[in-house]
Short mmCIF file of all heavy atoms in Angstrom, two decimals:
data_model
loop_
_atom_site.label_atom_id
_atom_site.label_comp_id
_atom_site.label_asym_id
_atom_site.label_seq_id
_atom_site.Cartn_x
_atom_site.Cartn_y
_atom_site.Cartn_z
N GLY A 43 -2.70 17.72 7.08
CA GLY A 43 -3.23 16.91 8.18
C GLY A 43 -2.93 15.43 8.10
O GLY A 43 -3.22 14.69 9.05
N TYR A 44 -2.37 14.96 7.00
CA TYR A 44 -2.04 13.55 6.90
C TYR A 44 -1.03 13.16 7.97
O TYR A 44 -0.08 13.90 8.25
CB TYR A 44 -1.39 13.23 5.55
CG TYR A 44 -2.30 13.23 4.35
CD1 TYR A 44 -2.78 14.43 3.81
CD2 TYR A 44 -2.65 12.05 3.71
CE1 TYR A 44 -3.58 14.45 2.69
CE2 TYR A 44 -3.45 12.05 2.57
CZ TYR A 44 -3.92 13.26 2.07
OH TYR A 44 -4.71 13.27 0.95
N ARG A 45 -1.23 11.97 8.53
CA ARG A 45 -0.27 11.43 9.49
C ARG A 45 0.10 9.99 9.13
O ARG A 45 0.48 9.21 9.97
CB ARG A 45 -0.85 11.50 10.91
CG ARG A 45 -1.05 12.94 11.41
CD ARG A 45 0.26 13.70 11.50
NE ARG A 45 0.11 15.07 11.96
CZ ARG A 45 0.06 16.13 11.16
NH1 ARG A 45 0.12 15.97 9.84
NH2 ARG A 45 -0.05 17.34 11.65
N HIS A 46 0.01 9.68 7.85
CA HIS A 46 0.31 8.33 7.35
C HIS A 46 0.90 8.47 5.96
O HIS A 46 0.32 9.12 5.08
CB HIS A 46 -1.00 7.52 7.31
CG HIS A 46 -0.89 6.14 6.75
ND1 HIS A 46 -2.00 5.36 6.49
CD2 HIS A 46 0.18 5.39 6.39
CE1 HIS A 46 -1.61 4.20 6.01
NE2 HIS A 46 -0.29 4.20 5.93
N LEU A 47 2.08 7.88 5.77
CA LEU A 47 2.73 7.86 4.46
C LEU A 47 2.94 6.41 4.05
O LEU A 47 3.45 5.61 4.82
CB LEU A 47 4.09 8.58 4.51
CG LEU A 47 4.09 10.03 4.98
CD1 LEU A 47 5.52 10.54 5.05
CD2 LEU A 47 3.24 10.91 4.08
N ASP A 48 2.54 6.09 2.82
CA ASP A 48 2.72 4.74 2.30
C ASP A 48 3.88 4.74 1.31
O ASP A 48 3.79 5.35 0.23
CB ASP A 48 1.45 4.25 1.61
CG ASP A 48 1.59 2.81 1.14
OD1 ASP A 48 1.56 1.92 2.01
OD2 ASP A 48 1.75 2.59 -0.08
N CYS A 49 4.94 4.04 1.67
CA CYS A 49 6.18 4.06 0.91
C CYS A 49 6.56 2.64 0.49
O CYS A 49 5.92 1.67 0.87
CB CYS A 49 7.33 4.64 1.76
SG CYS A 49 6.90 6.12 2.71
N ALA A 50 7.61 2.51 -0.30
CA ALA A 50 8.18 1.21 -0.65
C ALA A 50 9.59 1.42 -1.17
O ALA A 50 9.86 2.41 -1.86
CB ALA A 50 7.33 0.49 -1.69
N PHE A 51 10.45 0.48 -0.86
CA PHE A 51 11.82 0.56 -1.36
C PHE A 51 11.85 0.69 -2.88
O PHE A 51 12.59 1.51 -3.45
CB PHE A 51 12.61 -0.67 -0.93
CG PHE A 51 13.93 -0.80 -1.63
CD1 PHE A 51 15.00 0.00 -1.27
CD2 PHE A 51 14.09 -1.70 -2.67
CE1 PHE A 51 16.22 -0.09 -1.94
CE2 PHE A 51 15.30 -1.81 -3.34
CZ PHE A 51 16.37 -1.00 -2.97
N ILE A 52 11.02 -0.09 -3.57
CA ILE A 52 11.08 -0.15 -5.03
C ILE A 52 10.60 1.14 -5.67
O ILE A 52 10.87 1.40 -6.85
CB ILE A 52 10.29 -1.36 -5.57
CG1 ILE A 52 10.70 -1.68 -7.02
CG2 ILE A 52 8.79 -1.13 -5.43
CD1 ILE A 52 12.16 -1.98 -7.21
N TYR A 53 9.90 2.01 -4.95
CA TYR A 53 9.48 3.28 -5.53
C TYR A 53 10.68 4.20 -5.78
O TYR A 53 10.58 5.17 -6.53
CB TYR A 53 8.47 4.00 -4.63
CG TYR A 53 7.21 3.24 -4.33
CD1 TYR A 53 6.37 3.64 -3.29
CD2 TYR A 53 6.84 2.10 -5.06
CE1 TYR A 53 5.21 2.94 -2.99
CE2 TYR A 53 5.69 1.40 -4.77
CZ TYR A 53 4.88 1.82 -3.72
OH TYR A 53 3.73 1.13 -3.41
N GLN A 54 11.78 3.93 -5.10
CA GLN A 54 13.04 4.65 -5.31
C GLN A 54 12.89 6.17 -5.10
O GLN A 54 13.47 6.98 -5.82
CB GLN A 54 13.60 4.34 -6.69
CG GLN A 54 14.16 2.92 -6.82
CD GLN A 54 15.39 2.72 -5.95
OE1 GLN A 54 16.48 3.20 -6.26
NE2 GLN A 54 15.22 2.03 -4.84
N ASN A 55 12.11 6.54 -4.10
CA ASN A 55 11.96 7.95 -3.78
C ASN A 55 11.98 8.20 -2.27
O ASN A 55 11.59 9.27 -1.79
CB ASN A 55 10.68 8.52 -4.39
CG ASN A 55 9.42 7.75 -3.97
OD1 ASN A 55 9.46 6.94 -3.03
ND2 ASN A 55 8.31 8.00 -4.65
N GLU A 56 12.46 7.20 -1.50
CA GLU A 56 12.40 7.31 -0.05
C GLU A 56 13.38 8.34 0.50
O GLU A 56 13.18 8.87 1.60
CB GLU A 56 12.61 5.94 0.60
CG GLU A 56 11.41 5.02 0.38
CD GLU A 56 11.54 3.67 1.06
OE1 GLU A 56 12.64 3.07 1.01
OE2 GLU A 56 10.54 3.19 1.64
N GLU A 57 14.42 8.66 -0.25
CA GLU A 57 15.36 9.68 0.23
C GLU A 57 14.68 11.03 0.36
O GLU A 57 14.85 11.74 1.37
CB GLU A 57 16.56 9.78 -0.71
CG GLU A 57 17.64 10.73 -0.21
CD GLU A 57 18.90 10.71 -1.05
OE1 GLU A 57 18.99 9.87 -1.98
OE2 GLU A 57 19.80 11.53 -0.79
N GLU A 58 13.88 11.40 -0.64
CA GLU A 58 13.17 12.68 -0.56
C GLU A 58 12.10 12.65 0.52
O GLU A 58 11.83 13.68 1.17
CB GLU A 58 12.53 13.02 -1.91
CG GLU A 58 13.53 13.54 -2.92
CD GLU A 58 12.85 14.19 -4.12
OE1 GLU A 58 11.71 14.66 -3.97
OE2 GLU A 58 13.48 14.23 -5.19
N ILE A 59 11.47 11.51 0.71
CA ILE A 59 10.48 11.38 1.79
C ILE A 59 11.16 11.60 3.13
O ILE A 59 10.64 12.30 4.01
CB ILE A 59 9.78 10.01 1.72
CG1 ILE A 59 8.97 9.90 0.42
CG2 ILE A 59 8.89 9.79 2.94
CD1 ILE A 59 8.44 8.53 0.14
N GLY A 60 12.35 11.01 3.29
CA GLY A 60 13.11 11.22 4.52
C GLY A 60 13.48 12.67 4.74
O GLY A 60 13.42 13.18 5.87
N GLU A 61 13.83 13.37 3.67
CA GLU A 61 14.16 14.80 3.78
C GLU A 61 12.93 15.60 4.22
O GLU A 61 13.04 16.51 5.06
CB GLU A 61 14.67 15.31 2.44
CG GLU A 61 16.02 14.76 2.03
CD GLU A 61 16.39 15.12 0.61
OE1 GLU A 61 15.59 15.82 -0.05
OE2 GLU A 61 17.47 14.71 0.15
N ALA A 62 11.77 15.25 3.66
CA ALA A 62 10.54 15.95 4.04
C ALA A 62 10.19 15.70 5.50
O ALA A 62 9.81 16.62 6.24
CB ALA A 62 9.39 15.52 3.13
N LEU A 63 10.32 14.45 5.94
CA LEU A 63 10.03 14.12 7.34
C LEU A 63 10.95 14.89 8.27
O LEU A 63 10.51 15.46 9.28
CB LEU A 63 10.20 12.62 7.56
CG LEU A 63 9.12 11.72 6.98
CD1 LEU A 63 9.54 10.25 7.08
CD2 LEU A 63 7.80 11.93 7.72
N LYS A 64 12.23 14.92 7.94
CA LYS A 64 13.20 15.63 8.78
C LYS A 64 12.85 17.10 8.89
O LYS A 64 12.90 17.70 9.97
CB LYS A 64 14.60 15.46 8.20
CG LYS A 64 15.70 16.10 9.04
CD LYS A 64 17.07 15.83 8.43
CE LYS A 64 18.18 16.47 9.26
NZ LYS A 64 19.52 16.22 8.66
N GLU A 65 12.43 17.68 7.76
CA GLU A 65 12.08 19.10 7.74
C GLU A 65 10.85 19.39 8.59
O GLU A 65 10.82 20.37 9.36
CB GLU A 65 11.83 19.53 6.29
CG GLU A 65 11.60 21.01 6.11
CD GLU A 65 11.56 21.40 4.64
OE1 GLU A 65 12.45 20.96 3.88
OE2 GLU A 65 10.64 22.16 4.26
N LYS A 66 9.83 18.54 8.50
CA LYS A 66 8.59 18.79 9.24
C LYS A 66 8.74 18.46 10.72
O LYS A 66 8.02 19.02 11.56
CB LYS A 66 7.43 17.99 8.63
CG LYS A 66 7.10 18.36 7.19
CD LYS A 66 7.01 19.85 6.94
CE LYS A 66 5.89 20.53 7.65
NZ LYS A 66 5.84 21.99 7.39
N ILE A 67 9.65 17.57 11.06
CA ILE A 67 9.95 17.34 12.48
C ILE A 67 10.74 18.51 13.03
O ILE A 67 10.47 19.00 14.14
CB ILE A 67 10.70 16.00 12.65
CG1 ILE A 67 9.77 14.82 12.36
CG2 ILE A 67 11.27 15.89 14.06
CD1 ILE A 67 10.46 13.47 12.28
N LYS A 68 11.69 18.99 12.25
CA LYS A 68 12.54 20.09 12.70
C LYS A 68 11.73 21.36 12.92
O LYS A 68 11.98 22.11 13.88
CB LYS A 68 13.65 20.35 11.68
CG LYS A 68 14.65 21.41 12.11
CD LYS A 68 15.78 21.57 11.10
CE LYS A 68 16.78 22.62 11.53
NZ LYS A 68 17.89 22.77 10.54
N ASP A 69 10.73 21.64 12.04
CA ASP A 69 9.97 22.88 12.20
C ASP A 69 8.84 22.76 13.22
O ASP A 69 8.08 23.71 13.44
CB ASP A 69 9.45 23.39 10.85
CG ASP A 69 8.29 22.58 10.27
OD1 ASP A 69 7.72 21.72 10.97
OD2 ASP A 69 7.95 22.80 9.09
N GLY A 70 8.72 21.57 13.85
CA GLY A 70 7.76 21.40 14.93
C GLY A 70 6.36 21.02 14.50
O GLY A 70 5.46 20.91 15.35
#
Side-chain angles (χ1 to χ4, degrees):
Y44 287 74
R45 295 297 180 262
H46 177 189
L47 303 176
D48 183 73
C49 316
F51 168 76
I52 197 59
Y53 301 165
Q54 288 294 285
N55 56 13
E56 289 182 318
E57 185 173 354
E58 283 194 25
I59 295 170
E61 291 171 1
L63 287 171
K64 183 177 180 181
E65 186 172 313
K66 298 313 294 180
I67 290 171
K68 184 177 181 180
D69 73 11

